[in-house]
Amino acid sequence: MTRKDEMLTVAQVLNELGVSARTFYRWREIGKAPEGFKLPNGEIRIYRSEFIAWLETLREVA
């Protein structure tokens, strides 16, 4: 994570990936989603740098 790393909402991640919320949360259940953290209000945020790193791991596998 960089000092000024952008925090993405789940909606932003869904939009970038083009997947449904159901798919995203299923991926989280089985440990295949990008790392995220919960805010005190229960919302999930994902640092853009971690999201990009996660995408790169998918590219390496393909």
Side-chain angles (χ1 to χ4, degrees):
M1 175 188 78
T2 61
R3 269 173 42 99
K4 294 186 179 183
D5 204 353
E6 178 185 11
M7 289 188 293
L8 302 173
T9 64
V10 170
Q12 289 171 309
V13 171
L14 296 177
N15 187 47
E16 289 203 32
L17 293 174
V19 299
S20 68
R22 180 179 173 159
T23 297
F24 176 79
Y25 286 108
R26 189 168 7 117
W27 288 349
R28 279 184 55 87
E29 287 177 14
I30 62 174
K32 301 232 179 207
E35 288 291 321
F37 61 94
K38 277 192 177 181
L39 297 175
N41 65 2
E43 292 183 10
I44 296 171
R45 294 292 186 270
I46 300 165
Y47 283 111
R48 180 168 290 284
S49 62
E50 292 179 7
F51 177 66
I52 291 170
W54 175 79
L55 286 175
E56 287 299 318
T57 64
L58 297 178
R59 176 182 285 179
E60 292 170 7
V61 172

